[in-house]
Amino acid sequence: MKKVISVLAAGAMMMALLAGCGGSASSADSSGSAASSAVSSSEAVSSEAASSGEASAPSSEVADAARLEAIVAAIEEVNEVANPRAIDDFSLENEMGLTPDNIVAFCGDVTNDQADCSLVFAAQVKDGAADTVKAELEAYKESMSSTLYADFADKVAKAQDARIVVKGNLAVMVIAGVNGPDYSEIDTAINGALA
């Protein structure tokens, strides 16, 4: 009898473990996965609120993931991200220090190569949050150039020159790769992508 109970308890714990792991996305997904992850996260919150009976304010801001993916792709044609890792919800909040409540959707890649520092990030921000998001991106830029890359002069120089551009409800941040283009090419790519 004790063996049957032990087997049932172990089976129940295994099912709980599998249920907890079932919805995660691989970090090796394409750059578009970050945008769809951000969109699906906000949709999940809305449906949870609806199912729990809570009233939620209707959103007039519809995520434009395709536009964000196009912006990132256009900039990465000029500034290729070496060994890219998609920026996900965790990276957005815990690495970049951005407030998720200010973001409608986002997309981007950061290098997973220790010898490089390239990053391309685009976000659709909520109405009235552009200045806050820009300030948070400036703080992230400062942290990279003062602490994160402190032992690597080439990375510090690239991070200090990082581009942060806000146009309407779009915010873009780009750090050139160590062996990447100069920032004049990146500036042209950003302007073209945001046109």
Side-chain angles (χ1 to χ4, degrees):
M1 182 69 174
K2 288 183 182 179
K3 284 186 178 183
V4 171
I5 291 173
S6 297
V7 169
L8 289 174
M13 289 192 320
M14 182 61 85
M15 293 300 289
L17 179 65
L18 291 173
C21 296
S24 67
S26 169
S27 64
D29 288 347
S30 68
S31 62
S33 67
S36 60
S37 171
V39 173
S40 63
S41 295
S42 60
E43 289 170 355
V45 170
S46 298
S47 51
E48 284 176 13
S51 65
S52 67
E54 295 176 21
S56 62
S59 175
S60 62
E61 299 162 338
V62 177
D64 192 350
R67 172 92 193 270
L68 296 174
E69 290 171 8
I71 291 168
V72 169
I75 297 168
E76 285 185 0
E77 284 182 22
V78 173
N79 184 52
E80 183 178 353
V81 177
N83 190 17
R85 172 176 57 90
I87 296 172
D88 58 13
D89 292 340
F90 180 86
S91 303
L92 180 86
E93 186 172 7
N94 297 294
E95 293 173 10
M96 299 179 75
L98 296 175
T99 305
D101 289 343
N102 292 330
I103 308 289
V104 177
F106 64 95
C107 181
D109 295 308
V110 62
T111 185
N112 209 21
D113 185 343
Q114 295 293 325
D116 204 349
C117 58
S118 54
L119 174 141
V120 176
F121 173 76
Q124 179 183 348
V125 302
K126 292 185 178 177
D127 289 336
D131 290 339
T132 302
V133 170
K134 184 175 183 180
E136 289 173 342
L137 288 172
E138 292 285 356
Y140 176 54
K141 172 182 165 179
E142 177 61 30
S143 75
M144 285 188 298
S145 56
S146 64
T147 58
L148 186 61
Y149 296 147
D151 297 332
F152 305 96
D154 52 350
K155 290 182 182 182
V156 168
K158 293 290 187 172
Q160 286 174 337
D161 287 338
R163 298 305 197 245
I164 298 170
V165 178
V166 174
K167 183 175 181 184
N169 281 12
L170 294 172
V172 172
M173 179 175 186
V174 181
I175 301 174
V178 171
N179 297 316
D182 65 28
Y183 276 103
S184 64
E185 293 178 56
I186 291 172
D187 292 336
T188 301
I190 293 171
N191 291 334
L194 293 178

